[in-house]
Amino acid sequence: MKTTRSVILSTGASLPRRVVTNDDLSKMVDTSDDWIVQRTGIKERHLADDSETTASLGVAAAKVALAEAKLEPQDIDLIILATSTPDHTFPASATEIQASLGITHGVAFDLQAVCSGFIFALATADKFLTSGSHRRALVIGSETFSRILDWSDRGTCVLFGDGAGAVVLEAREHLGVKAERGVITTHLRSDGRHKGKLYVDGGPSSTKTVGHLRMEGKEVFRHAVGMITDVIKDAFAAASINASDIDWFVPHQANRRIIDASADKLGISRDKVVVTVEKHGNTSAASIPLALDAAVRDGRIKEGQLVLLEAMGGGFTWGSALIRW
Ligand code: ACO
């Protein structure tokens, strides 16, 4: 039994100013609002302009989360940024965020697990906090996927958006009471044999370029629901609960059809599912903290409720997290 729990104190979000609708995209590639809405549920997405980057969006989301928690940057001793679209190959964008926040103590690093990045970062922060090595963490998911899209490929460019979300976590003593707040259990998986189904065709060591996102959409779809539901069943078993105990299901926002199929397969009622994909598109590692922030801010997610997160992405990587909010 853990003697410490990582409690989520607050959330924050930051979206680029520019909103691009499906109709806007239909002027750039051969697509339509009908096609995109039917296959994905996406209606619009935010896209970064030249002045907005993964680090700047991450800083903005972090500042909101800190203010919500009534904390100063100096109260944070761990920053983990989940991203696949860093400002630079190095240093880690997390250290750029750390510097922008004026923090000179503790540690900041990036974590790369594509769309599962936020779950991986949350699980990592939880292990740091519950080990006793760190006290308060900022976990950020921030992405500018618009920079790695092939804007002539209608099969991928319509699916993604830019943005950032953040949470502040604090280590608190865990007394072993069932209703206590905090991260209850996390489950991470990966299987690198699936690389070719979702990847970027460039990189510093292979091509010396940034590259573009490539995806076999049908193949991703085919694997997604099974992987998602397996890792959620692991969470249910670890916590001795079932689907009816969940107050809110906050999945990675890739595609409405994947979200609905996963919820249905698990027996989670659709009115307990937080969906933001229609407004944000797929923002990869940012999608879960953006959705969490939306549902906290509009009063759906409340203290004491049981919140289930899941994601699946390139690698493949996939994971779940169960939290008493
Ligand atoms: N607009 C209009 N037509 C299009 C578009 C578009 N944007 N994109 C593709 N098409 C056409 C194709 O060319 C094809 O035409 P054809 O029949 O004449 O050859 C037709 O639509 C069907 O294409 P498919 O790729 O077979 O379409 P599918 O039904 O599989 O839907 C989609 C594509 C939406 C990408 C689907 O496969 C999907 O949702 N996959 C999951 C992808 C995903 O969510 N990835 C992210 C998850 S992992 C992560 O988050 C990183």
Side-chain angles (χ1 to χ4, degrees):
M1 158 101 55
K2 290 195 284 187
T3 55
T4 310
R5 265 202 182 167
S6 320
V7 175
I8 296 188
L9 302 182
S10 64
T11 62
S14 172
L15 289 158
R17 288 174 287 268
R18 186 168 149 234
V19 175
V20 175
T21 64
N22 293 343
D23 285 336
D24 295 332
L25 287 183
S26 70
K27 293 173 192 125
M28 295 162 58
V29 287
D30 183 12
T31 190
S32 66
D33 181 53
D34 271 359
W35 193 95
I36 301 172
V37 171
Q38 249 182 39
R39 309 269 172 144
T40 72
I42 299 166
K43 294 182 179 147
E44 58 188 39
R45 72 287 291 141
H46 292 248
L47 297 183
D49 65 25
D50 290 345
S51 70
E52 295 165 318
T53 69
T54 291
S56 76
L57 293 166
V59 168
K63 283 183 175 169
V64 176
L66 284 169
E68 289 290 319
K70 300 189 172 50
L71 291 174
E72 298 298 325
Q74 301 312 322
D75 297 322
I76 298 295
D77 56 3
L78 171 67
I79 300 174
I80 307 180
L81 170 67
T83 191
S84 304
T85 47
D87 286 22
H88 302 98
T89 301
F90 78 77
S93 295
T95 59
E96 301 187 43
I97 292 173
Q98 181 191 30
S100 295
L101 293 173
I103 304 174
T104 52
H105 64 278
V107 63
F109 58 89
D110 287 3
L111 190 153
Q112 215 272 57
V114 203
C115 298
S116 312
F118 182 77
I119 302 270
F120 278 55
L122 186 76
T124 305
D126 179 49
K127 291 183 196 303
F128 272 70
L129 295 186
T130 57
S131 78
S133 68
H134 292 74
R135 181 154 165 66
R136 280 197 206 93
L138 256 174
V139 176
I140 306 166
S142 184
E143 302 277 19
T144 44
F145 260 51
S146 60
R147 311 280 209 257
I148 55 165
L149 294 175
D150 174 352
W151 285 100
S152 65
D153 175 14
R154 67 178 181 171
T156 54
C157 75
V158 303
L159 303 175
F160 295 89
D162 300 333
V167 299
V168 175
L169 289 156
E170 182 175 82
R172 293 212 178 148
E173 192 186 357
H174 176 42
L175 304 171
V177 180
K178 202 176 172 194
E180 240 170 324
R181 296 180 67 198
V183 175
I184 297 168
T185 187
T186 57
H187 299 266
L188 307 181
R189 294 289 314 281
S190 64
D191 183 347
R193 289 174 301 173
H194 298 286
K195 173 192 160 195
K197 300 181 179 87
L198 180 54
Y199 68 106
V200 170
D201 64 4
S205 187
S206 55
T207 60
K208 296 182 257 179
T209 62
V210 172
H212 291 114
L213 182 147
R214 305 292 172 205
M215 182 175 72
E216 291 176 25
K218 268 201 199 321
E219 280 296 303
V220 175
F221 203 117
R222 201 165 67 77
H223 286 87
V225 178
M227 288 178 163
I228 289 164
T229 50
D230 276 356
V231 84
I232 289 175
K233 284 180 185 158
D234 290 343
F236 286 171
S240 307
I241 61 160
N242 58 46
S244 62
D245 295 313
I246 298 300
D247 292 301
W248 293 106
F249 178 42
V250 187
H252 168 50
Q253 308 284 316
N255 181 307
R256 180 80 206 218
R257 287 188 299 156
I258 295 176
I259 294 172
D260 288 346
S262 307
D264 292 352
K265 191 168 169 197
L266 288 159
I268 298 175
S269 155
R270 288 201 189 175
D271 57 10
K272 291 182 171 180
V273 185
V274 176
V275 181
T276 52
V277 71
E278 72 279 10
K279 288 185 119 21
H280 298 163
N282 179 350
T283 57
S284 191
S287 91
I288 292 175
L290 278 169
L292 279 174
D293 184 73
V296 167
R297 223 154 277 280
D298 68 19
R300 274 178 290 173
I301 295 181
K302 295 182 191 67
E303 203 170 304
Q305 290 185 327
L306 208 49
V307 179
L308 175 67
L309 316 179
E310 68 72 13
M312 180 266 185
F316 292 144
T317 54
W318 64 108
S320 65
L322 183 69
I323 299 157
R324 176 74 64 187
W325 201 263

